[in-house]
């Protein structure tokens, strides 16, 4: 959070700073991006603190007030008054258990509709972008279970779900023998960009500038867990 003691734009020394930063992250970001970032900062800024909040409809006001330093994810409402920087482009794939009894090698429209799905209601992600193309193409599938937290997916043995292509560790919940198979969707959907956002009021804040630089260097353009299909 913005340091309110003295000049908020004074120099920032990561090696000695005890500043507390607050990040707005999607559920996936909290699961994967936050640990990756913390691991990268451990040696260069050992005494800083980082708090994580859900990326949601309150994020814009929190960024403007200085109660949130950065928001990271897919956030269409952070436009006027905000700076933004692209980290990477994300796509969707369809994942399923590796021993699926009916789907082999490719996923057809009929096969997609015939299966029960696991629905994810996750604020701060691009999941809502699936609703319109599915509706327009009559591709609304039957949902067996709906989850509001991304980490609830692994214990569930749902046969089919749409999922980001898992760039730089999105597939972390399945980094074991239960890692699912990934197939191309039976319909097209435009890719979307994951960005970091900050309010113009803190654009020149030294600590905010440093943190943005770290996020970009360590979290942008890293390889996918599920390569492009």
């Amino acid at each position: 959070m913005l340091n309110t003691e003295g000049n908020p734009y004074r120099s920032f020394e990561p090696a000695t700073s005890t500043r507390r930063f607050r990040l707005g992250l999607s559920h996936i970001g909290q699961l994967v991006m936050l640990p990756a970032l913390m691991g990268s900062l451990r040696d260069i800024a050992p005494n800083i603190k980082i708090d994580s909040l859900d990326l949601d409809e309150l994020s814009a006001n929190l960024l403007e007030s200085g109660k949130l330093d950065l928001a990271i994810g897919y956030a269409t409402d952070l436009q006027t008054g905000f700076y933004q920087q692209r980290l990477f482009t994300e796509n969707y794939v369809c994942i399923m258990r590796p021993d699926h009894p009916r789907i082999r090698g490719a996923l057809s429209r009929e096969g997609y509709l015939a299966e029960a799905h696991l629905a994810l209601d996750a604020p701060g992600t691009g999941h809502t972008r699936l609703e319109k193309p599915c509706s327009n193409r009559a591709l609304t599938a039957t949902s067996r279970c709906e989850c509001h937290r991304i980490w609830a997916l692994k214990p569930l043995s749902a046969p089919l779900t749409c999922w980001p292509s898992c760039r730089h560790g999105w597939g972390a919940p399945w980094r074991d023998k239960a890692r699912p198979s990934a197939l191309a969707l039976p319909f097209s959907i435009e890719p979307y960009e994951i960005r970091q956002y900050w309010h113009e009021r803190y654009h020149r804040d030294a600590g905010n500038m440093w943190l943005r630089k770290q996020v970009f260097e360590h979290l942008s353009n890293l390889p996918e867990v599920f390569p492009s299909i």
Side-chain angles (χ1 to χ4, degrees), residues 3 17 50 80 94 102 150:
N3 191 333
S17 176
I50 293 185
T80 303
C94 207
R102 290 172 296 280
I150 202 80

Side-chain angles (χ1 to χ4, degrees), residues 72-74 85-90 192-196:
I72 304 173
Y74 176 75
Q85 183 180 37
R86 175 193 172 278
L87 298 178
F88 54 89
T89 300
E90 190 62 282
Y192 62 98
E193 292 190 340
I194 299 298
R195 297 170 175 264
Q196 62 172 335

Side-chain angles (χ1 to χ4, degrees), residues 143-162:
S143 174
R144 172 181 293 178
C145 177
E146 181 174 299
C147 293
H148 295 269
R149 294 287 172 177
I150 202 80
W151 35 84
L153 294 179
K154 185 176 180 179
L156 297 172
S157 57
L160 203 65
T161 189
C162 293

Side-chain angles (χ1 to χ4, degrees), residues 132-179:
K132 185 175 181 179
C134 287
S135 176
N136 290 345
R137 295 171 175 81
L139 284 167
T140 303
T142 301
S143 174
R144 172 181 293 178
C145 177
E146 181 174 299
C147 293
H148 295 269
R149 294 287 172 177
I150 202 80
W151 35 84
L153 294 179
K154 185 176 180 179
L156 297 172
S157 57
L160 203 65
T161 189
C162 293
W163 189 258
S165 59
C166 303
R167 187 176 301 275
H168 72 271
W170 266 202
W174 292 282
R175 280 182 175 168
D176 55 26
K177 294 180 180 179
R179 177 174 169 174

Side-chain angles (χ1 to χ4, degrees), residues 28-66:
I28 300 175
Q30 292 176 46
L31 182 66
V32 178
M33 295 180 76
L34 184 61
L37 182 62
M38 292 296 293
S40 300
L41 301 183
R42 185 176 297 115
D43 293 332
I44 59 178
N47 299 313
I48 67 167
K49 313 296 189 299
I50 293 185
D51 295 339
S52 173
L53 283 73
D54 284 352
L55 180 62
D56 56 24
E57 66 278 1
L58 300 178
S59 296
N61 290 336
L62 293 176
L63 285 167
E64 184 176 5
S65 67

